[in-house]
């Protein structure tokens, strides 16, 4: 029998231990694309968190009704509904953010964190636990995006929390001396996104190595579609996980 | 707009993977071997063009009925259904093609590049033919990036000069940064 996990553990595991971006390596597209500034990353994180919490609750409520064979399309419809809602809200209350996130706001629908949590957690757990899981994972996502955005903004623009969408653009802006006059613009552009993300994962690897973890690869374990995928790699990975679970039991 | 301009713009200047960060998951996940990179790339081109061919007219219908805001839900459903349908058709009628492309198809449903190209075509205000050309170009750009990157990754395999904490994912991302930097050189073309 699986041990009952405490509510607090469900809430906090997503923030550091199973951080969806830096540890599980999910949702790389929005992570790279929307972290050109700290507020941008934070906005994306909050929007995705809102969708994640709502969809987790609804999917855990509907888990028994949805036939197993068509579950993925059903999850996608639920998620897409909430994404449309969030799109409306962001457009109404933060239009500059809506414009700067652009196509990545509707693309929350194919964010593998959200589908992954639906498939791996929400459809097996009760609504309260699923909501807590959503909050934890969402916070972890938001935190990772904000930190990466802040680093890229400091080096690439010489500022931090430049809040162009809050009426007064300099309200929270902190200017970094020297860098503000001589910014390394490449860091805020596409190559810098790849590089800073690589450095962030290397830092996590270093921390995990102290605890005896091995460097990670892009694998099928975190992928929501692994159970449907016919690629040999995914099937092999799934077998490995099954064997491990069997050995533990 | 000139078709050639659209193609050069989407393949080289605004490459979907390297400049716009769409479709990063398959770009990093399936680019280890050249043949799987090519398979994935071709499957993406195929699905992108088909998805655009289906979603563009439907957006006109949605606009006509005044429910354009249902775009996200409708598009993802169409893409999911289309991918399933294509897989079934290939399995039944062209088993050889299904054997080489079929394994990649389920993954493409949740590939953000496919949904991304459908939405971008509408946002950019392209007409039907331009949309199809743009989607084809986006797929070719994806294939190009995948093929070049699989070559770069083969040099990383088993390389002992890489520091321990940079092995695996971080060095892959750092090499993607270099490739992206190279593609920035196309910046002034269009």
């Amino acid at each position: 029998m699986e041990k009952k996990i405490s509510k607090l553990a469900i809430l906090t595991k997503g923030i550091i231990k199973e951080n969806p971006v830096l540890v599980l390596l999910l949702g790389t597209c929005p992570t790279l694309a929307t972290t050109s500034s700290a507020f941008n990353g934070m906005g994306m994180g909050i929007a995705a968190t809102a969708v994640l919490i709502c969809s987790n609750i609804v999917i855990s409520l509907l888990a028994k009704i949805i036939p197993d064979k068509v579950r993925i399309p059903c999850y996608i419809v639920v998620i897409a509904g909430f994404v449309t809602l969030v799109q409306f809200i962001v457009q109404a209350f933060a239009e500059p953010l809506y414009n700067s996130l652009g196509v990545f706001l509707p693309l929350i629908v194919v964010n593998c964190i959200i589908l992954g949590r639906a498939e791996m957690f929400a459809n097996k757990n009760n609504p309260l636990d699923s909501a807590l899981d959503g909050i934890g994972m969402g916070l972890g996502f938001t935190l990772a995006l904000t930190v990466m955005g802040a680093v890229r903004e400091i080096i690439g623009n010489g500022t931090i929390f430049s809040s162009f969408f809050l009426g007064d653009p300099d309200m929270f802006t902190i200017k970094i001396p020297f860098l503000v006059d001589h910014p390394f613009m490449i860091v805020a552009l596409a190559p810098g996104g790849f590089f800073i993300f690589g450095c962030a994962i290397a830092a996590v690897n270093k921390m995990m190595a102290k605890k005896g973890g091995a460097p990670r690869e892009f694998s099928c374990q975190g992928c929501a579609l692994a159970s449907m995928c016919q690629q040999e790699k995914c099937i092999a990975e799934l077998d490995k996980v099954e064997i491990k679970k069997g050995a533990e039991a | 707009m000139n078709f050639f301009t659209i193609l050069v713009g989407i393949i080289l200047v605004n490459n979907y993977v390297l400049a716009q960060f769409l479709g990063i998951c398959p770009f990093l996940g399936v680019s280890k071997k050249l043949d799987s990179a090519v398979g994935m790339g071709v499957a993406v081109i195929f699905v992108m063009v088909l998805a655009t061919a289906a979603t563009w007219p439907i957006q006109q219908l949605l606009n006509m009925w005044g429910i354009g805001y249902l775009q996200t839900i409708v598009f993802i459903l169409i893409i999911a259904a289309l991918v399933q349908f294509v897989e079934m058709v290939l399995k039944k009628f062209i088993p050889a093609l299904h054997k080489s492309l079929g394994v990649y198809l389920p993954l493409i449903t949740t590939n953000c590049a496919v949904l991304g190209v459908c939405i971008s075509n509408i946002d950019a205000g392209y007409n039907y033919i331009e949309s199809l050309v743009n989607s084809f170009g986006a797929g070719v750009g994806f294939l190009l990036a995948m093929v070049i990157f699989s070559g770069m990754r083969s040099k990383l395999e088993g390389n002992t000069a890489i520091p321990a904490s940079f092995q695996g994912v971080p060095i892959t991302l750092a090499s993607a940064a270099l490739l992206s930097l190279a593609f920035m050189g196309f910046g002034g073309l269009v």
Side-chain angles (χ1 to χ4, degrees), chain A residues 72-202:
Chain A
I72 300 280
C74 293
Y75 299 162
I76 291 179
V77 174
V78 172
I79 296 167
F82 285 116
V83 169
T84 309
L85 267 178
V86 167
Q87 263 180 286
F88 276 143
I89 295 170
V90 175
Q91 192 175 16
F93 295 106
E95 216 193 333
L97 181 67
Y98 180 82
N99 294 332
S100 103
L101 291 181
V103 75
F104 282 92
L105 203 51
L107 285 184
I108 294 177
V109 86
V110 283
N111 187 322
C112 33
I113 297 173
I114 296 174
L115 195 59
R117 292 327 284 174
E119 169 82 357
M120 284 165 207
F121 195 92
N123 67 356
K124 301 184 193 82
N125 289 281
N126 65 42
L128 179 65
D129 286 354
S130 304
L132 289 175
D133 178 73
I135 296 171
M137 283 287 162
L139 275 179
F141 185 58
T142 312
L143 195 72
L145 256 62
T146 313
V147 170
M148 251 189 73
V151 171
R152 285 179 70 186
E153 197 184 342
I154 290 172
I155 305 175
N157 201 27
T159 58
I160 183 166
F161 291 121
S162 164
S163 45
F164 58 94
F165 50 84
L166 287 177
D168 175 14
D170 287 333
M171 199 171 2
F172 296 106
T173 309
I174 304 160
K175 290 199 171 110
I176 315 291
F178 183 72
L179 276 176
V180 75
D181 301 318
H182 309 279
F184 295 86
M185 255 156 63
I186 195 80
V187 177
L189 297 172
F194 282 113
F195 190 70
I196 298 288
F197 189 39
C199 291
I201 293 174

Side-chain angles (χ1 to χ4, degrees), chain B residues 2 11 14 16 30 34 47 51 54 58 60 68 72 83 89 106 110 116 142 146 155 174 187:
Chain B
N2 190 330
I11 296 177
N14 294 317
Y16 256 42
V30 199
L34 182 64
V47 173
I58 289 195
Q60 310 309 314
T72 314
V83 171
V89 169
T110 55
F142 181 80
M146 289 278 278
K155 298 276 174 203

